[in-house]
Amino acid sequence: MSQDYVEFDGGIMEGGGQILRVCTSLSCIFGASIKVKNIRAGRSTPGLRPQHLSGLEMVRDLCQGHLDGAEIGSTEMAFTPGKIKGGNHVADTRTAGSVCLLMQVSVPCVLFASSPSVLILKGGTNAEMAPQIDYTLMVFQPIVERFGVKLDCDVKMRGYYPKGGGEVVVKVSPAKQLSPINLMDKGSITKIYGRAFVAGVLPFKMAKEMAGAAERRIRKDFSGVHINIQVLQEPRDQAFGNGNGIIVVAETSTGCIFAGSSLGKRGVTADKVGTDAAEMLLRNLKHGGCVDEYLQDQLIIFMALANGVSKVRTGPVTLHTETAIHFAQQITKAKFNISKSEDQGCSEENFIIECQGVGMTNPYL
């Protein structure tokens, strides 16, 4: 019945697909029926795209829920969740829509399932406007596991813009409860490593050029740190289509992980792709925070669900993070507070995101 729906405006703040992912995921976990209007109103092509629709349908199926009004281009939808069940769940964007964004909407849900889950996600693994699968594996996964999340991620096939065709299989164990995290001490940089790849018909030398350019730029700021960037030609049977890109990752003495990444585009030199990734990494190492600008908002949903107080030191708080907090607070009633850090030892501003999580408990365990 309509009066039982909690209504959300998908056009405020960041105004993109993230609002849909946060609201749908938490709706599923809390068993709250939701309506979202003005979906992706802040985007040049408003409404649901294939990637958002396949994510919604996957969440509907994994909890035997009900979706209304969800089709390509629609700007309103209603979702009524059911009981979250484990087992095999498939989502296929049939485009280069990001498998990492499919993970963002589905992984929190299946943590509260009655048994282990296998998520079979198809689409783009290395796509623009979304985390690359390498970021998810190298940065997101090791940090999110500190909440007590158990993930196993297997990249079966890589897929690139415009065709997609990638496939990732994610195995998730249910959790009784999530533990809070404390990421307050950045420590010092101990190692920098990465992965520069070409796939399909693109020449191997492009991978070498990306890696070389990234390493030269990083050396200007970190001359004494060991840098190891792998250079790869993706095997033909493990990559669909043509693509090139790079990710560079820095680890610290306290276990913080930061990254910068970039994808090749027509008309952009391999040198520029490598330098862009290095610049992104270095920008995120300057602010004294313990997470980079792309991990920030991905942690919010887990902080809200955790049992206790989580604290994360970060650089400037992004609009994505502010948006995730706004909607997570509304649904979960978790209490977030952002304060400016008084850390004098850092040239750039940094902030502390603190959350009193609600201690969501898996009813099936």
Side-chain angles (χ1 to χ4, degrees), residues 37-272:
K37 60 180 186 184
N38 300 326
I39 292 170
R40 298 182 67 253
R43 296 294 181 263
S44 55
T45 51
L48 293 173
R49 306 305 305 146
Q51 158 203 305
H52 310 107
L53 183 58
S54 50
L56 286 175
E57 289 172 344
M58 182 181 215
V59 173
R60 174 198 66 195
D61 295 346
L62 65 81
C63 72
Q64 297 157 302
H66 185 74
L67 263 180
D68 269 327
E71 51 195 60
I72 303 293
S74 61
T75 55
E76 285 195 22
M77 73 92 188
F79 173 58
T80 304
K83 176 184 170 180
I84 306 171
K85 63 186 202 307
N88 287 17
H89 305 290
V90 181
D92 186 354
T93 65
R94 296 180 179 81
T95 65
S98 167
V99 297
C100 300
L101 297 183
L102 292 175
M103 274 182 76
Q104 280 185 20
V105 72
S106 57
V107 166
C109 301
V110 294
L111 289 172
F112 296 92
S114 49
S115 61
S117 302
V118 178
L119 309 174
I120 299 150
L121 311 175
K122 300 179 181 185
T125 57
N126 300 74
E128 287 289 359
M129 306 303 291
Q132 293 191 46
I133 190 63
D134 308 284
Y135 182 93
T136 299
L137 295 172
M138 296 161 90
V139 182
F140 171 77
Q141 182 177 341
I143 300 296
V144 87
E145 283 176 346
R146 296 183 195 181
F147 288 100
V149 172
K150 290 194 176 68
L151 277 185
D152 177 61
C153 204
D154 184 12
V155 183
K156 299 286 187 194
M157 178 72 78
R158 288 172 177 268
Y160 312 103
Y161 181 81
K163 292 180 181 173
E167 182 178 334
V168 176
V169 176
V170 187
K171 294 177 181 167
V172 187
S173 302
K176 180 67 182 167
Q177 246 184 357
L178 300 183
S179 308
I181 61 165
N182 186 297
L183 292 172
M184 291 293 290
D185 178 11
K186 180 180 173 183
S188 55
I189 307 297
T190 52
K191 57 182 173 182
I192 296 174
Y193 53 93
R195 184 179 198 283
F197 72 86
V198 292
V201 300
L202 299 179
F204 184 58
K205 69 171 190 171
M206 286 178 79
K208 289 182 176 171
E209 286 166 6
M210 289 186 293
E215 184 163 339
R216 283 192 299 279
R217 177 60 194 91
I218 293 166
R219 284 245 173 269
K220 286 183 184 171
D221 290 27
F222 291 95
S223 55
V225 178
H226 181 63
I227 301 173
N228 177 24
I229 302 173
Q230 249 186 315
V231 180
L232 296 135
Q233 171 88 49
E234 301 290 7
R236 292 257 169 178
D237 60 347
Q238 290 168 32
F240 185 79
N242 307 315
N244 68 297
I246 181 171
I247 181 167
V248 277
V249 177
E251 275 188 34
T252 76
S253 54
T254 55
C256 298
I257 310 173
F258 302 83
S261 62
S262 186
L263 287 169
K265 292 194 247 340
R266 186 161 292 173
V268 180
T269 66
D271 254 49
K272 170 105 172 78

